[in-house]
Amino acid sequence: MEHDVTFQDLNLNTPLYNAIDDLGFVKPTPIQSEAFNVVASGKDVVGIAQTGTGKTFAYMLPILRNLKYSRQENPRVLVLVPTRELVVQVVEEIEKLSKYINNRILGVYGGTNINTQKQAVAQGTDIIVATPGRLYDLAVSRVLQLKSIQKLVIDEVDVMLDLGFRHQLMNIFDILPERRQNIMFSATMTEDVDELITNFFINPQRVTVAVTGTPLENIIQQRYEVKNFYTKVNLLEHVLFDKATFNKVLIFVSNKKMADRLFEKLEDIFPGNCCVIHSNKTQNYRLRSIEAFESGEHRILIATDVMARGLDIDNVSHVINFDTPKYPENYMHRIGRTGRAENSGTSIVFSTEDEQDYIEAIENYMNLKIALIEFPEEVTVSTELIEEERPQIKEHYNPLKRNKDDYEPGAAFHEKKEKNKKTNQGGSYRREIAKKYKKPKTRGDKNYNKKKKRK
Ligand code: AMP
């Protein structure tokens, strides 16, 4: 659907139209017009959209449109979100849309008195918005019955998995009815998100909106082909040396481990210039890092995709993709952090041979080629490899462990020498005694002792 879709084009109803009028919304956002029919169709849906794109209404409009009035106590719609702030925010949004609808919405989250929430649940609800841990506790206590859930929405699933909620999600899936619609929204695609979709979704329809928020013309895009991690560090050192040009640099890496590893290296090279954010850092640490970067105190910020999703920082001179994102949407999101507000910015992507397929996917997605820059001669190509780059060795040599093949006579098999043919049957003393006296006789043998006495 095109962007000039109006709310009238979506098949809403009068209470929803009235609520939207009251809110003063003029037209649906792109994700709302894209997602409406897909969510309404009842199929599993994966939406890629960031906060601020109107994603909450993108899933709630079709859900509310189709939710019939009911007096039953058990909820029919479950919305899972990663944080309590988001529970509050999503409940507020749903309430705004439900102004002229007679429905019951309840938000529950951890860190507060569970008994109060149990009482609220017991009063009956149609839509429950929850953090995973608290939802599970309520379900286990049997106050909350999930057997009527028809629609499961998981919002900000990338953050949820990044915070380590996978196990809790699995537990919840286990107690939900199998026949349900799964609707998932994520700002970024990650391996974890991909795995979750593959394992739990049935032929999901994908809904994506362009996520840069920045016209591509404002961004100069370049790429280098680089051998490995250490060579990438050398190249990074080379380019970042030009402090005047590279004055506000956002470096993206795909995971926390890499973020820490790179931070350590860059701190060595440019002491006091760098900061880092990822989900294992405390909220305070992350806020301080972002502030230091924003104010220019530190010119380099290293971030993972998931953590950088909400970043809205002006005048980023360069985005450096230290690795090539596997999912083109992530690349779009990364590069959109520069070239904002009519400024121009530069994006540089480093890619190894293994990452060439991802480059192709990104170029196809944008329908645009990224300019290849020749690898600078003066940069040292390292031959040292990090753990992940080394060829995988399945198991270390273990002389005590034998596998099946060792026992099967192969080319080197020959008859054992006579002395080696003996087998160990254990208990040699007892065998000797038995040979001598026919029966085992030990002091502990009750019958032997009895017989002896009788004699
Ligand atoms: P979200 O991406 O769901 O966090 O929404 C971001 C903000 O956009 C919220 O404050 C919504 O109330 C607002 N919003 C949602 N849909 C629209 C729309 N169609 N027009 C204008 N604002 C909207």
Side-chain angles (χ1 to χ4, degrees):
M1 261 191 238
E2 284 307 307
H3 290 182
D4 43 4
V5 173
T6 65
F7 280 116
Q8 294 305 322
D9 295 323
L10 308 183
N11 179 22
L12 302 179
N13 53 18
T14 314
L16 283 171
Y17 281 126
N18 289 342
I20 286 169
D21 272 353
D22 287 359
L23 284 166
F25 294 172
V26 180
K27 58 176 191 160
T29 63
I31 191 73
Q32 288 164 3
S33 46
E34 291 281 336
F36 189 84
N37 286 329
V38 189
V39 175
S41 76
K43 290 191 196 122
D44 281 4
V45 184
V46 174
I48 305 291
Q50 287 154 251
T51 307
T53 54
K55 67 183 166 60
T56 317
F57 286 6
Y59 59 77
M60 271 336 289
L61 278 171
I63 289 179
L64 289 175
R65 168 72 183 80
N66 293 334
L67 192 71
K68 305 259 180 324
Y69 173 77
S70 164
R71 295 178 68 174
Q72 77 162 64
E73 279 168 17
N74 302 331
R76 287 166 291 157
V77 178
L78 168 62
V79 183
L80 292 174
V81 297
T83 61
R84 68 177 90 167
E85 290 82 6
L86 211 55
V87 170
V88 174
Q89 195 182 311
V90 169
V91 166
E92 274 172 17
E93 293 275 289
I94 303 175
E95 278 171 349
K96 280 185 210 159
L97 272 190
S98 304
K99 193 169 168 190
Y100 302 103
I101 305 173
N102 191 0
N103 62 11
R104 298 156 300 170
I105 304 141
L106 178 67
V108 291
Y109 44 81
T112 50
N113 191 329
I114 194 166
N115 291 323
T116 324
Q117 291 181 351
K118 280 182 186 170
Q119 283 163 16
V121 169
Q123 308 217 321
T125 176
D126 297 302
I127 301 171
I128 186 156
V129 184
T131 48
R134 180 50 60 97
L135 183 98
Y136 189 66
D137 291 344
L138 286 167
V140 168
S141 80
R142 298 199 160 262
V143 174
L144 174 65
Q145 295 283 336
L146 297 176
K147 59 182 182 220
S148 305
I149 296 292
Q150 299 159 355
K151 292 179 195 301
L152 166 70
V153 179
I154 316 175
D155 201 354
E156 307 218 344
V157 68
D158 47 353
V159 176
M160 213 179 270
L161 295 174
D162 204 45
L163 292 174
F165 283 144
R166 186 178 187 281
H167 192 66
Q168 279 163 335
L169 281 181
M170 300 297 108
N171 286 341
I172 294 170
F173 288 173
D174 274 349
I175 50 173
L176 285 175
E178 251 176 58
R179 267 178 61 91
R180 61 170 196 263
Q181 181 186 16
N182 296 302
I183 302 158
M184 193 187 89
F185 272 79
S186 186
T188 46
M189 275 302 285
T190 63
E191 303 257 331
D192 291 344
V193 175
D194 209 12
E195 195 221 293
L196 194 81
I197 298 168
T198 315
N199 292 339
F200 295 97
F201 281 48
I202 305 160
N203 292 331
Q205 298 267 111
R206 240 175 116 128
V207 188
T208 314
V209 288
V211 288
T212 60
T214 309
L216 283 182
E217 307 84 72
N218 287 5
I219 308 166
I220 301 161
Q221 297 186 58
Q222 302 173 334
R223 76 182 174 98
Y224 286 96
E225 286 177 359
V226 196
K227 281 266 180 276
N228 48 37
F229 174 85
Y230 284 108
T231 312
K232 285 182 177 181
V233 174
N234 293 346
L235 179 61
L236 203 52
E237 178 179 2
H238 174 79
V239 298
L240 292 179
F241 190 70
D242 180 357
K243 289 187 181 164
T245 314
F246 287 76
N247 54 59
K248 206 169 197 177
V249 185
L250 186 52
I251 304 179
F252 279 101
V253 287
S254 59
N255 60 57
K256 305 167 205 178
K257 192 171 166 190
M258 204 55 111
D260 282 333
R261 198 185 255 151
L262 185 60
F263 176 68
E264 223 173 82
K265 292 271 159 233
L266 285 188
E267 258 304 293
D268 272 356
I269 305 168
F270 303 104
N273 273 227
C274 313
C275 38
V276 59
I277 51 168
H278 60 64
S279 58
N280 280 5
K281 302 285 182 199
T282 62
Q283 172 102 354
N284 267 344
Y285 183 98
R286 296 198 303 250
L287 287 177
R288 260 186 285 124
S289 291
I290 293 169
E291 263 169 37
F293 182 62
E294 232 171 352
S295 68
E297 190 189 331
H298 290 158
R299 74 178 167 115
I300 300 163
L301 175 66
I302 302 165
T304 56
D305 288 300
V306 179
M307 268 306 128
R309 48 211 289 293
L311 278 189
D312 187 13
I313 294 169
D314 289 337
N315 302 321
V316 171
S317 68
H318 293 77
V319 163
I320 296 186
N321 301 272
F322 189 78
D323 48 38
T324 310
K326 188 172 170 188
Y327 306 98
E329 289 94 344
N330 288 3
Y331 177 81
M332 302 304 283
H333 177 233
R334 288 176 175 193
I335 68 171
R337 306 302 99 199
T338 184
R340 295 156 82 89
E342 308 297 310
N343 289 324
S344 73
T346 305
S347 157
I348 303 175
V349 54
F350 292 176
S351 53
T352 60
E353 215 175 306
D354 288 346
E355 293 171 326
Q356 290 310 309
D357 287 350
Y358 305 159
I359 290 284
E360 218 169 278
I362 292 165
E363 290 183 334
N364 287 340
Y365 187 89
M366 295 189 296
N367 202 9
L368 195 119
K369 284 259 175 245
I370 307 170
L372 179 66
I373 311 283
E374 206 172 317
F375 191 84
E377 265 179 22
E378 55 274 42
V379 175
T380 311
V381 176
S382 173
T383 50
E384 197 182 339
L385 300 177
I386 54 168
E387 195 188 322
E388 294 89 326
E389 291 169 339
R390 286 183 215 135
Q392 296 288 309
I393 300 163
K394 286 227 173 67
E395 195 179 82
H396 292 292
Y397 173 59
N398 178 355
L400 295 174
K401 193 175 174 202
R402 304 177 123 199
N403 56 38
K404 196 171 127 266
D405 294 344
D406 293 341
Y407 296 102
E408 280 167 7
F413 182 77
H414 52 79
E415 272 300 313
K416 280 180 177 173
K417 291 208 177 97
E418 199 54 36
K419 70 177 171 76
N420 292 336
K421 277 188 180 169
K422 285 182 193 159
T423 54
N424 181 6
Q425 291 165 346
S428 64
Y429 170 75
R430 292 176 63 142
R431 267 184 288 117
E432 288 303 311
I433 297 282
K435 239 194 273 171
K436 243 186 187 161
Y437 302 99
K438 302 281 190 299
K439 269 185 183 170
K441 291 182 182 78
T442 63
R443 265 194 280 169
D445 185 335
K446 270 194 258 165
N447 296 329
Y448 173 73
N449 291 337
K450 264 187 230 156
K451 268 181 237 161
K452 224 177 153 188
K453 265 184 199 164
R454 259 186 242 133
K455 268 182 194 170

